[in-house]
Amino acid sequence: MSPVSPVGLTYYGSSLAKQGNINEGYHFVKLALSLLDKVGSRENAGEVIAICTQVKMYVEPIQAALEHFQEGYASAMASGDS
């Protein structure tokens, strides 16, 4: 797996969700988040988590999604991605 694989899966899942395939997009977003931990690279974590959170808000309660959004913000600031 490439360190940028979670980014590609995130954008693909987001694209599916925007086209109306919310459940399928949600599947790819969850896959991207699980791969984010496995590849070990945190430089794109803020971007991945922020976009995944937008898709997850359609399926999960908003309170759960907001917790992930705060984690994405912290990751982005730690890696210098503003």
Side-chain angles (χ1 to χ4, degrees), residues 6-79:
V7 177
L9 289 169
T10 297
Y11 279 107
Y12 183 65
S14 175
S15 176
L16 286 173
K18 288 178 185 175
Q19 294 173 0
N21 298 328
I22 295 171
N23 288 331
E24 194 170 340
Y26 178 71
H27 173 73
F28 280 97
V29 161
K30 290 202 46 115
L31 178 62
L33 287 172
S34 68
L35 282 179
L36 189 64
D37 294 330
K38 291 182 182 178
V39 296
S41 176
R42 300 298 293 178
E43 67 183 45
N44 296 321
E47 178 181 7
V48 170
I49 294 171
I51 294 171
C52 288
T53 301
Q54 294 174 4
V55 175
K56 289 175 75 171
M57 278 198 252
Y58 286 100
V59 180
E60 296 179 2
I62 196 164
Q63 293 85 0
L66 287 177
E67 290 175 15
H68 293 290
F69 187 75
Q70 295 295 335
E71 179 186 348
Y73 178 78
S75 295
M77 296 307 285
S79 69

